[in-house]
Amino acid sequence: MTELKTGGAQGYLRIATEEAFVTQEALDMYGEILDGPDPDPGFKSLWGFYLRSEAERPKFIRDALLGLGAGRIKDMDDRGIDKAVLALTSPGTQILSKDKAVALARNSNDELHQACKDHPDRLIGMAACAPQDPEGAAKEIERAVTKLGMKAVIINSHTHGHYLDEPQFAPILEAAEALDVPIYIHPNTLPRGQVEPLIAAGIDGAIFGFGVETGMHALRVIVSGTLDKFPKLQVIIGHMGEALPFWMYRLDFMHQAGVRAGRYASSGPLKKEFVSNYLKENFIITNSGVAWEPAIKFTQDVIGKDRVMYAMDYPYQCPAYEVEALDNMDMSLDDKKAFFQTNAERVFKL
Ligand code: 1DF
Ligand code: MN
């Protein structure tokens, strides 16, 4: 293993775009939910582990998530990460009651802003908001972008079983489109009533359930016609597009078949002909959790080289050997630079 260095000597900077943090306030709120009556089963499976287990991994992750100073910068240095785009970790505000979600969005944006101010050449922020209060969320997004310098909006997927294509969330999409910032739809655990069979099998979290949940969320946003209403909106999804690029042929075929037959009122004709048109024109895909050359190249091939970005997913998945493997991909320097650096610079306006 060669030593990884920041500074771009390999011909590009490494900008990691799905990096997580948490605040003590969020952990306290999560603890209250876990101690309350009948906590959400997916949340309990995920955060019962990360908050309460004393095993090595959850302890490391708790500390790393809370770190927004020297420790995080050192971990970035050790892994050759020049810049990290940070977002409140899943489920962020989404699991909270309205009042708590509003408070956490505001306070965590302020904390993140301070960290970015302390490390202006290393840390970049995404704005949290509380979809439980859509008008307030739009105002908080505006504050975070215009006053705090945030470069995107983080939505940790469904909010109490509700998805961004539902009409009550229009103010959020409107604000993001008007401010010209992308929305990162990051995974959440599946809602009650869907997550139980995955918990029973031990596949509810990042191993599989996250992808099912968030791939579905992205697809809902497409087939509902939401992106026809907000055509300039850019949506980022991680984990190699939550497998949607691999589904693309079938999505196009079956969506067309359904439209022609008038099968579903809720996924009627779209302004653009194919589901894949939206993936290629409104989505940016990061490789968080998938340090795997064939999947990255396939996605570059079918979605576009200007729409696939590097992400580490610190601290959940952060071995240095993954950075080295990606450096060593059999890919032109131009394409590698787009992947690691320039796509992120364009998407986040760095
Ligand atoms: C995990 C993975 C947890 C990711 C995350 O947030 C997360 C995990 C709580 O491994 O349990 O963001 N991830 O994006 O892959
Ligand atoms: Mn993540």
Side-chain angles (χ1 to χ4, degrees), residues 10 68 152 166 272 294 335 339:
Q10 62 283 347
L68 280 171
E166 296 176 48
K272 297 176 187 176
D335 291 352
F339 171 72

Side-chain angles (χ1 to χ4, degrees), residues 76-256:
M76 289 167 62
D77 288 342
D78 290 347
R79 292 160 177 77
I81 302 303
D82 292 280
K83 297 170 198 269
V85 187
L86 305 183
L88 187 61
T89 199
S90 181
T93 61
Q94 326 306 134
I95 189 77
L96 303 172
S97 64
K98 178 171 154 179
D99 290 352
K100 292 212 155 102
V102 168
L104 180 61
R106 186 174 183 91
N107 297 337
S108 67
N109 286 339
D110 287 340
E111 270 192 57
L112 179 56
H113 171 59
Q114 186 57 49
C116 296
K117 239 169 68 180
D118 293 342
H119 302 280
D121 48 349
R122 304 302 296 280
L123 303 181
I124 295 141
M126 293 194 228
C129 69
Q132 295 86 336
D133 168 20
E135 294 289 348
K139 289 201 186 87
E140 179 60 12
I141 292 167
E142 186 178 6
R143 182 184 81 95
V145 171
T146 62
K147 304 255 171 25
L148 307 182
M150 304 275 166
K151 303 296 190 187
V153 177
I154 180 71
I155 302 285
N156 281 295
S157 207
H158 74 86
T159 301
H160 300 300
H162 294 280
Y163 299 86
L164 287 178
D165 55 281
E166 296 176 48
Q168 68 271 25
F169 298 129
I172 294 172
L173 308 186
E174 222 170 87
E177 192 186 46
L179 293 158
D180 196 22
V181 290
I183 295 180
Y184 204 124
I185 305 183
H186 181 283
N188 192 350
T189 49
L190 282 154
R192 190 188 295 274
Q194 299 175 40
V195 76
E196 291 81 356
L198 287 92
I199 293 176
I203 54 172
D204 50 302
I207 180 174
F208 188 69
F210 274 11
V212 172
E213 194 276 336
T214 309
M216 179 185 77
H217 194 163
L219 203 48
R220 283 186 60 128
V221 168
I222 296 173
V223 301
S224 59
T226 301
L227 294 167
D228 290 336
K229 295 191 194 107
F230 302 98
K232 292 199 303 249
L233 188 65
Q234 296 294 307
V235 179
I236 309 176
I237 50 177
H239 314 102
M240 227 59 260
E242 313 295 358
L244 293 182
F246 204 72
W247 278 86
M248 213 161 81
Y249 180 93
R250 186 166 170 79
L251 291 171
D252 281 349
F253 185 96
M254 286 299 173
H255 181 255
Q256 292 281 313

